[in-house]
Amino acid sequence: MASEDVKSSETAVSTIVNLAEEAKLAREGVKAPSYAILSICKSLVAGGVAGGVSRTAVAPLERLKILLQVQNPHSIKYNGTIQGLKYIWRTEGFRGLFKGNGTNCARIVPNSAVKFFSYEQASKGILYLYQQQTGNEDAQLTPLLRLGAGACAGIIAMSATYPMDMVRGRLTVQTESSPYQYRGMFHALSTVLREEGPRALYKGWLPSVIGVIPYVGLNFSVYESLKDWLIKTRPFGLVEDSELSVTTRLACGAAAGTVGQTIAYPLDVIRRRMQMVGWKDAASVVTGDGRNRASLEYTGMIDAFRKTVRHEGFGALYKGLVPNSVKVVPSIAIAFVSYEVVKDILGVEIRISD
């Protein structure tokens, strides 16, 4: 992954093999495929697969988290992780546990692909500038520089796919009893665009951008720093031949996910609530039932923070944190490991196919 980018994108042996193959193709009069393009495609595919696999594995917890974040405080239907999952199973069945997962995968695959690719490219650019500034060609990325590269990657990926995330949030909270049903991602996108205008597709974008900096930035920074520390110090015999085992990489990813999600979580709650604003036929979980029915209105991020704390208390900013904690640790860990495993597989296939 990105720690290898600091040293080299491939081992010396694989680089020599690729150069030899390109020379062979050149002698035969055939235009050699660009190794850079192959590397880019490999990163994009690996990132997309990592995102899709990790989110599908924890889809029920992801849906419950969003329901807890946006439900009307005067009409509580979901009251905790176990009760919430049981309630979804009882009222909506097995399919209800995975509602919105198709849209989430459609969003997360390009999001993860762009995020991982952007991180690798940002790391290379920042490292080059850092080496030029220090005059040391052997300089390595510091944790702070990795944080910056991760934040840049997160903002780029999130902004590129934000409209899909916005409608995914609404698809996730609607139930069979909702007054109006979005039939799918494209129907939801067209409906929001027609009824609320193009700006509605970016409701909650600002807290998302702010939240990306600590969340994604710390994920990458903590993960890469832990890997480098383990490889250099080799504690408890966890490292063999300068390589980390899958279990150790899972632990690094879990630690990175825990740190990032805890710091950024209140911004995620506000983002989800702002995404529900202006939904004319919103699901009852958002508006409430009967006499408790009320529209949700915020004029902006600060207003959303103020009203949430004033009416529900500071703890409301952490609604859904428990299922999110249970979800995010394996999700981030699986994403990082899947990325590296798929990238290694693709690297072998590329060298063989050449």
Side-chain angles (χ1 to χ4, degrees), residues 119-132 141:
Y119 178 72
E120 293 204 351
Q121 299 308 306
S123 295
K124 290 177 182 178
I126 292 174
L127 178 61
Y128 174 77
L129 293 174
Y130 182 59
Q131 290 174 340
Q132 293 296 310
L141 282 177

Side-chain angles (χ1 to χ4, degrees), residues 3 7 146 224-233:
S3 62
K7 299 158 190 166
R146 286 187 181 134
E224 293 295 339
S225 297
L226 276 175
K227 279 180 58 181
D228 286 351
W229 177 75
L230 288 172
I231 290 173
K232 290 177 181 177
T233 61

Side-chain angles (χ1 to χ4, degrees), residues 88-166:
I88 294 172
W89 177 274
R90 186 173 68 252
T91 58
E92 302 180 63
F94 178 77
R95 292 182 61 185
L97 294 171
F98 290 87
K99 184 168 288 185
N101 184 55
T103 305
N104 192 26
C105 286
R107 177 193 70 87
I108 204 62
V109 169
N111 180 280
S112 292
V114 174
K115 181 170 64 180
F116 277 102
F117 170 66
S118 298
Y119 178 72
E120 293 204 351
Q121 299 308 306
S123 295
K124 290 177 182 178
I126 292 174
L127 178 61
Y128 174 77
L129 293 174
Y130 182 59
Q131 290 174 340
Q132 293 296 310
Q133 183 182 15
T134 59
N136 180 9
E137 294 184 357
D138 296 324
Q140 306 291 305
L141 282 177
T142 65
L144 183 61
L145 293 177
R146 286 187 181 134
L147 178 65
C152 289
I155 291 172
I156 292 170
M158 184 275 298
S159 298
T161 60
Y162 192 81
M164 298 172 69
D165 179 70
M166 188 271 186

Side-chain angles (χ1 to χ4, degrees), residues 75-277:
S75 182
I76 301 296
K77 296 180 180 179
Y78 308 93
N79 189 21
T81 304
I82 302 301
Q83 182 275 337
L85 290 173
K86 287 181 177 179
Y87 184 83
I88 294 172
W89 177 274
R90 186 173 68 252
T91 58
E92 302 180 63
F94 178 77
R95 292 182 61 185
L97 294 171
F98 290 87
K99 184 168 288 185
N101 184 55
T103 305
N104 192 26
C105 286
R107 177 193 70 87
I108 204 62
V109 169
N111 180 280
S112 292
V114 174
K115 181 170 64 180
F116 277 102
F117 170 66
S118 298
Y119 178 72
E120 293 204 351
Q121 299 308 306
S123 295
K124 290 177 182 178
I126 292 174
L127 178 61
Y128 174 77
L129 293 174
Y130 182 59
Q131 290 174 340
Q132 293 296 310
Q133 183 182 15
T134 59
N136 180 9
E137 294 184 357
D138 296 324
Q140 306 291 305
L141 282 177
T142 65
L144 183 61
L145 293 177
R146 286 187 181 134
L147 178 65
C152 289
I155 291 172
I156 292 170
M158 184 275 298
S159 298
T161 60
Y162 192 81
M164 298 172 69
D165 179 70
M166 188 271 186
V167 299
R168 194 264 299 197
R170 292 192 178 186
L171 284 165
T172 299
V173 302
Q174 74 177 8
T175 62
E176 299 299 325
S177 60
S178 298
Y180 182 80
Q181 294 287 323
Y182 294 126
R183 296 192 295 271
M185 180 179 68
F186 293 108
H187 179 246
L189 283 168
S190 61
T191 302
V192 172
L193 191 62
R194 183 178 65 254
E195 295 183 354
E196 303 176 47
R199 291 185 60 185
L201 294 174
Y202 281 88
K203 286 179 178 177
W205 179 82
L206 181 58
S208 297
V209 170
I210 297 173
V212 156
I213 296 174
Y215 183 65
V216 178
L218 285 171
N219 276 345
F220 280 111
S221 182
V222 173
Y223 180 74
E224 293 295 339
S225 297
L226 276 175
K227 279 180 58 181
D228 286 351
W229 177 75
L230 288 172
I231 290 173
K232 290 177 181 177
T233 61
R234 299 173 178 248
F236 313 113
L238 294 174
V239 182
E240 295 181 3
D241 300 325
S242 298
E243 290 292 333
L244 297 180
S245 66
V246 172
T247 303
T248 304
R249 283 185 284 176
L250 271 170
C252 292
T258 301
V259 173
Q261 66 93 20
T262 301
I263 293 175
Y265 194 78
L267 288 160
D268 188 56
V269 172
I270 296 303
R271 170 182 65 138
R272 288 295 173 203
R273 294 192 169 201
M274 291 180 69
Q275 288 176 347
M276 303 299 146
V277 173

Side-chain angles (χ1 to χ4, degrees), residues 44-56:
L44 288 173
V45 172
V49 171
V53 170
S54 64
R55 290 306 176 98
T56 299

